[in-house]
Amino acid sequence: MRLWALLFFFCLTGLPLAAEPTAAEILRRLDQNQLYPTLFIESTMIIQGRKGQRRLRSQSWSQGREKSFIRYLSPPRERGTSMLKLKDQLWLYSPQADRTIAIAGHMLRQPIMGSDLSYEDMMERTSLVKNYQATKLDNEVIQGAGSWVLELKAKQAGLAYPKQRIWVDPKKIAATKVELYGSRGKLLKRVTIQSFIQTPTGWYPSDLTYKDMLK
Amino acid sequence: MRQEPLLQAKEVDKIYPVGGHDFYALKNLSFTLNRGEFAGLIGPSGSGKTTLLNLLGALDTPNRGTIELLGEKLSHLSANKQALFRRLHISFIFQTYNLLPLYSVFENVELPLILLKLEPKERKKRVHEALEWLSLMDKAQAKPSQLSGGQAQRVAIARAMVKNPEIILADEPTANLDSEASHGILKTLRQINEEKGATFLFSTHDDKVIGYLKRKITLTDGQIVHDLSLPEPLKKR
Amino acid sequence: MIRFLLKGLLRDRHRSLFPLLVISLGVALLVLFQAWLQGALYGTLSNQAHFRTGHVKLLTRGAWAENQSSSLDLALSQVETLKNELATSYPDLNFFPRLRFGGLLDVPDAKGETRSQSPILGFGLELFNHKQEIQAFHLQEGLAQGRLPQGPGEILLTLDLAEKLQLTLGEKATLISNDPNGGMVIHNFTLVGMVRFGIKPLDRASLIGDLKDLQRALGMRKGATEIVGFFKEKGLNRPRALEIKRHFNQNHPLSELSPQMITLSDQDGLDTYLDQIESWMSWILIFFIGLLGFILWNLGLINGLRRYREMGLRLALGEEKKQIYQSLLLEALVLGLVGTFLGTSIGLLPAYYLQEVGLDTTKILTGNQNFMIQNQVHAKIIFSNLWVGFFPGLFAPFLGTLISGLGVFRKNTAQILNQLESI
Ligand SMILES: Nc1ncnc2c1ncn2[C@@H]1O[C@H](COP(=O)(O)OP(=O)(O)OP(=O)(O)O)[C@@H](O)[C@H]1O
Ligand SMILES: [Mg+2]
């Protein structure tokens, strides 16, 4: 299935930035790009399906890595549907059914709203530095600009993606492409980041495509 | 006594291949048996008595020479014709009786008549007649396993005589019997010969049998060495 | 003479009873085995047809090509129109649209939060107006508790699933699934009945509801994942199914979402399965003829020895060899005939029992969960059960006697008699 998503971001607060060329340092900077004490995002997800496109508008609030809440605004069918994440737990609320449903186990691997993004992907807000050991590969040239390439190996078992490859823009020190691999080294998903907004501590992706490589 | 030839062997050879070479069980043997005779082939073991009896009874064919029964050359007949000849004209009495254990005495005696396709009524009459001749009426429904050796051989004799054959061939009929039973049987056989005119040819080296014979044909190494007919009447015993 | 031989046959148990037992037993086993195989294989096939494949089946080209039978985004649209078209074009079949989907069933606690949860396999069937679908899914017979759905919002679950979820009759549960566009579907249903199919893969986690009701819940008003067709009479007609498939497919476009007809044989490797059933039957028959023939041949040899005295005597009494041989063969035929009659009757009894009662296979079969094998496998008595036994039942003793009898008739009569003297 071909499908991609765009995200627009609006409001952020953060810390000052620094620059280091080692793999570990780059990883730390990447973590920093993602982590803010509080974060509010309003976004549109465009899902390219077999029968055409669907647009889902949502608002999300988060605090650090542990807490976040998303509410869908449109289309009407999904309006009011919300998700709450606390640590490693996730709930879904449906106003139509007036039910709070725990998302766990089998359900975590299911796609959200028919996109290529799974609930698990959404949960994955863990620290790269904490979970992965990075090595620097040879630089590559992407769209005329040089790019650092990092290979990340999981430090412990149990992560959704035991291996990642990240292409980093040296000027921004921000990921422009991420490849997520399964336990047998198979490419599962690819994320490409087309544009960023600058924050006090770094660069936050404002337009990205998420693709399930197995579909 | 009628001098009517019933059975004739002419220049008969019977050869068995033994260990790669030919063994002559009978060699250039000729003899004639007349109707009404009570004769015996005597001679040491291995002299060819049984072999000759088998040829005469159309159970086997000679390698050379001819066997004639009632003027027909048996050896020239097809296997089916030979069987027909046996069915109609020849009866055997064996050393080991050869009764069928599954069938009653009556049924054993009846079998030759069934093969001749006689009516049941006629069969019954003839079987009873034969059983009376051999004093077996009270054993009619007995099974062979319930009989003594002498009784069993009498059943075999009843079976042999019931179809009134031209000739009865008896191979060592008393070999398995004690002296008393042997004499009883031999007397009956003589009686059948004399009163019913049945022709008998024995094979034996039993002196008791030899004593009853009217003609003694001595075989040695497949050849007849003596052929002695006793004058009538036979001495009474 | 025949009467005379018959007497002997009846009196000699080694000659009558023993071979008769062997023949009867062999034939009985064959008949039972055939009925069993018939029941097990065709029962499986019939389940496969009813629950999965239909005799023919309509689905989108995309769904068939990608082997996605429960993908709603590859579902058929305008199902009513399609169904009417099928019904007029192929009046010898009944057609039923079905909705097959996956999802999650979530049971709330008092506060409305998740108490238990399980993935499910969903079936939307025309339950309200069509007895046939209720019959095809054996819902009435399979109903263990409660009743069938009668109105919107009512569902059946399999007993195993209901127990796993600890859901009782009248309680509500929430279905979480996707609509054809991938949109989230969260819909409440009431459990009105629990069924047991006796088929492992179905019993594990099936949810059954009315087609219209589920179409509405899943946001696909005129859609269904498949339309199954069943011959109105006499079950599957393979050539006709093929003809219908060709005819239909010639007259429809080739795009991903246009309908495509497939037959039962096309699915789950059932084509080879059907062929195998047929070739298995002939191999089993050959095996039984061979086995029985071998046993009876040996019995014949032993009997031949035991009956040496009789043969020799009958030859001496002037019976022709040919006659004796014929009488032996006649005896074998009589035994074969009687044995086959007996064996067929004996075999049909347990076959009938297995047809009516069946055999529990849950303990025997553990691995293969893909085929719709019933937990309770039944035999099926068919017409050929009545005559199949005659092949081994008659041939085997006849062949056995033919071979063993030769031994006696190669020998010279004098030799046979000579041997008697030494017995
Ligand atoms: N089928 C056969 N094959 C080979 N030799 C045989 C065969 N039948 C008989 N003989 C031999 O032929 C000879 C004559 O045998 P036959 O049985 O006629 O003797 P017999 O006079 O009846 O002896 P007995 O008094 O012991 O019964 C014997 O030397 C025997 O070994
Ligand atoms: Mg002898």
Side-chain angles (χ1 to χ4, degrees), chain B residues 54 59-60 80 83 86-87 92 94-96 98-100 102-104 107 111-112 114-115 159 163, chain C residues 1 4-5 7-8 11-12 15 309-310 313 315-320 323 412-414 417 420-421:
Chain B
N54 285 343
L59 291 173
D60 211 348
N80 285 352
R86 283 203 297 280
R87 200 150 66 221
F92 296 89
F94 306 93
Q95 177 182 330
T96 48
N98 284 339
L99 300 180
L100 300 181
L102 295 171
Y103 297 89
S104 67
E107 287 162 342
L111 180 55
I114 293 173
L115 290 178
R159 181 177 62 193
K163 68 181 179 192
Chain C
M1 191 65 197
F4 186 84
L5 290 172
K7 272 189 213 162
R11 288 175 195 170
D12 188 354
R15 232 160 93 203
R309 184 176 300 277
E310 181 192 331
L313 183 79
L315 286 170
L317 289 180
E319 225 180 317
E320 290 163 24
Q323 272 178 342
N412 178 303
T413 308
L417 283 166
L420 286 182
E421 299 296 316

Side-chain angles (χ1 to χ4, degrees), chain C residues 64-334:
Chain C
W64 176 233
E66 291 177 28
N67 198 13
Q68 296 285 332
S69 56
S70 51
S71 231
L72 298 190
D73 61 342
L74 286 170
L76 296 163
S77 49
Q78 302 302 327
V79 165
E80 275 309 308
T81 322
L82 266 177
K83 188 186 157 180
N84 289 337
E85 180 197 328
L86 290 168
T88 25
S89 306
Y90 316 111
D92 45 338
L93 284 89
N94 287 320
F95 291 95
F96 304 100
R98 288 177 179 177
L99 194 53
R100 197 183 280 272
F101 59 95
L104 197 72
L105 199 65
D106 185 282
V107 178
D109 61 13
K111 285 188 283 176
E113 288 184 20
T114 298
R115 183 179 83 199
S116 56
Q117 213 176 54
S118 168
I120 55 107
L121 191 68
F123 295 94
L125 308 174
E126 290 186 329
L127 292 182
F128 294 163
N129 311 318
H130 297 270
K131 278 245 156 47
Q132 287 106 313
E133 283 289 78
I134 293 174
Q135 279 162 7
F137 264 67
H138 306 308
L139 290 180
Q140 204 72 58
E141 304 92 300
L143 200 63
Q145 281 186 41
R147 55 170 175 82
L148 298 182
Q150 285 161 1
E154 298 185 342
I155 50 161
L156 299 174
L157 294 183
T158 53
L159 206 57
D160 292 356
L161 179 60
E163 271 168 14
K164 182 179 162 198
L165 290 170
Q166 293 176 305
L167 193 65
T168 53
L169 291 180
E171 282 191 307
K172 280 202 185 326
T174 309
L175 172 70
I176 303 148
S177 185
N178 295 303
D179 68 20
N181 298 315
M184 195 175 286
V185 167
I186 298 179
H187 204 278
N188 290 330
F189 288 97
T190 310
L191 177 67
V192 297
M194 300 178 199
V195 288
R196 170 168 224 114
F197 293 112
I199 297 171
K200 261 196 188 161
L202 284 178
D203 275 328
R204 222 177 294 137
S206 292
L207 177 155
I208 299 107
D210 177 61
L211 177 71
K212 287 241 156 50
D213 199 22
L214 285 165
Q215 281 175 329
R216 218 172 295 127
L218 292 167
M220 43 186 315
R221 246 153 238 266
K222 289 173 178 166
T225 48
E226 64 197 40
I227 300 177
V228 287
F230 295 102
F231 285 99
K232 288 178 181 168
E233 277 159 33
K234 287 189 177 170
L236 175 62
N237 175 346
R238 280 169 99 187
R240 171 71 179 145
L242 212 63
E243 185 188 319
I244 292 173
K245 166 182 153 180
R246 289 219 185 88
H247 178 259
F248 183 92
N249 290 342
Q250 267 166 13
N251 295 308
H252 285 82
L254 298 175
S255 76
E256 190 178 40
L257 290 175
S258 59
Q260 180 181 9
M261 178 86 78
I262 55 176
T263 68
L264 174 140
S265 318
D266 295 329
Q267 305 166 64
D268 302 335
L270 288 180
D271 205 17
T272 31
Y273 187 70
L274 282 171
D275 288 341
Q276 270 171 7
I277 293 177
E278 272 150 37
S279 80
W280 280 7
M281 276 322 298
S282 27
W283 279 115
I284 287 164
L285 204 63
I286 290 168
F287 172 77
F288 267 90
I289 292 176
L291 186 77
L292 271 185
F294 183 76
I295 296 173
L296 291 166
W297 169 38
N298 281 289
L299 269 180
L301 281 178
I302 295 165
N303 270 330
L305 282 178
R306 289 184 60 256
R307 295 176 73 188
Y308 230 65
R309 184 176 300 277
E310 181 192 331
M311 298 304 142
L313 183 79
R314 281 166 65 180
L315 286 170
L317 289 180
E319 225 180 317
E320 290 163 24
K321 282 186 173 181
K322 206 178 74 188
Q323 272 178 342
I324 294 181
Y325 201 29
Q326 278 171 354
S327 78
L328 286 177
L329 291 177
L330 188 75
E331 222 171 77
L333 281 182
V334 169

Side-chain angles (χ1 to χ4, degrees), chain B residues 1-234:
Chain B
M1 187 169 165
R2 295 158 291 171
Q3 289 297 307
E4 192 182 333
L6 177 68
L7 196 55
Q8 269 185 304
K10 287 182 184 159
E11 298 168 0
V12 165
D13 284 357
K14 181 65 192 177
I15 304 167
Y16 293 117
V18 176
H21 64 86
D22 288 351
F23 171 77
Y24 279 79
L26 296 174
K27 193 158 184 159
N28 199 23
L29 183 143
S30 301
F31 94 115
T32 304
L33 192 70
N34 291 322
R35 203 181 282 280
E37 282 203 83
F38 197 78
L41 302 169
I42 54 183
S45 184
S47 55
K49 304 184 294 291
T50 300
T51 304
L52 181 56
L53 229 48
N54 285 343
L55 292 181
L56 298 174
L59 291 173
D60 211 348
T61 45
N63 297 80
R64 191 180 71 93
T66 57
I67 311 282
E68 276 182 37
L69 178 64
L70 298 165
E72 282 272 7
K73 289 196 172 66
L74 287 182
S75 41
H76 289 191
L77 296 177
S78 68
N80 285 352
K81 273 274 165 56
Q82 287 184 5
L84 181 69
F85 250 78
R86 283 203 297 280
R87 200 150 66 221
L88 290 171
H89 306 305
I90 307 168
S91 284
F92 296 89
I93 298 171
F94 306 93
Q95 177 182 330
T96 48
Y97 329 132
N98 284 339
L99 300 180
L100 300 181
L102 295 171
Y103 297 89
S104 67
V105 165
F106 184 96
E107 287 162 342
N108 265 285
V109 178
E110 191 187 17
L111 180 55
L113 303 181
I114 293 173
L115 290 178
L116 287 173
K117 298 195 166 68
L118 295 188
E119 293 295 313
K121 242 176 92 183
E122 173 71 7
R123 296 203 301 252
K124 196 172 170 184
K125 199 187 106 206
R126 288 225 212 162
V127 173
H128 279 156
E129 209 176 297
L131 290 178
E132 256 162 43
W133 258 94
L134 289 138
S135 327
L136 281 168
M137 273 314 283
D138 55 331
K139 294 285 177 196
Q141 296 311 318
K143 286 282 165 64
S145 57
Q146 299 162 334
L147 301 177
S148 72
Q151 287 167 334
Q153 193 59 301
R154 290 224 299 280
V155 175
I157 293 165
R159 181 177 62 193
M161 67 173 285
V162 73
K163 68 181 179 192
N164 292 325
E166 294 291 347
I167 184 164
I168 297 173
L169 302 170
D171 197 353
E172 321 255 15
T174 56
N176 287 351
L177 299 177
D178 61 27
S179 160
E180 196 183 333
S182 297
H183 283 298
I185 278 180
L186 286 163
K187 268 183 209 154
T188 314
L189 290 175
R190 269 294 289 264
Q191 218 177 335
I192 293 167
N193 170 248
E194 271 154 24
E195 290 175 28
K196 302 196 70 150
T199 311
F200 280 85
L201 181 62
F202 292 86
S203 136
T204 188
H205 36 49
D206 180 352
D207 287 338
K208 294 189 290 298
V209 179
I210 295 169
Y212 284 85
L213 295 177
K214 295 181 192 166
R215 179 180 171 193
K216 299 167 189 170
I217 305 156
T218 311
L219 278 181
T220 307
D221 293 339
Q223 287 176 308
I224 294 174
V225 291
H226 286 289
D227 191 343
L228 177 68
S229 292
L230 297 180
E232 300 271 338
L234 190 86

Side-chain angles (χ1 to χ4, degrees), chain C residues 336-353:
Chain C
L337 214 62
V338 175
T340 305
F341 270 119
L342 273 175
T344 304
S345 322
I346 294 169
L348 284 176
L349 280 176
Y352 182 75
Y353 174 84

Side-chain angles (χ1 to χ4, degrees), chain A residues 1 50-51 54 77-78 81 83 91-92 94 96-104 106-107 110-111 113-114 119, chain C residues 66 72-74 104 106-108 112-114 117 119 174 176 179-186 188 217 219 256-257:
Chain A
M1 203 193 282
R50 205 183 291 273
K51 289 176 176 171
R54 289 197 313 140
R77 258 188 86 93
E78 319 286 3
T81 300
M83 283 182 252
W91 291 271
L92 181 76
S94 161
Q96 291 99 324
D98 188 23
R99 282 292 321 278
T100 306
I101 293 154
I103 306 287
H106 163 83
M107 190 68 180
Q110 296 299 305
M113 302 283 182
Y119 292 98
Chain C
E66 291 177 28
L72 298 190
D73 61 342
L74 286 170
L104 197 72
D106 185 282
V107 178
E113 288 184 20
T114 298
Q117 213 176 54
T174 309
I176 303 148
D179 68 20
N181 298 315
M184 195 175 286
V185 167
I186 298 179
N188 290 330
E256 190 178 40
L257 290 175

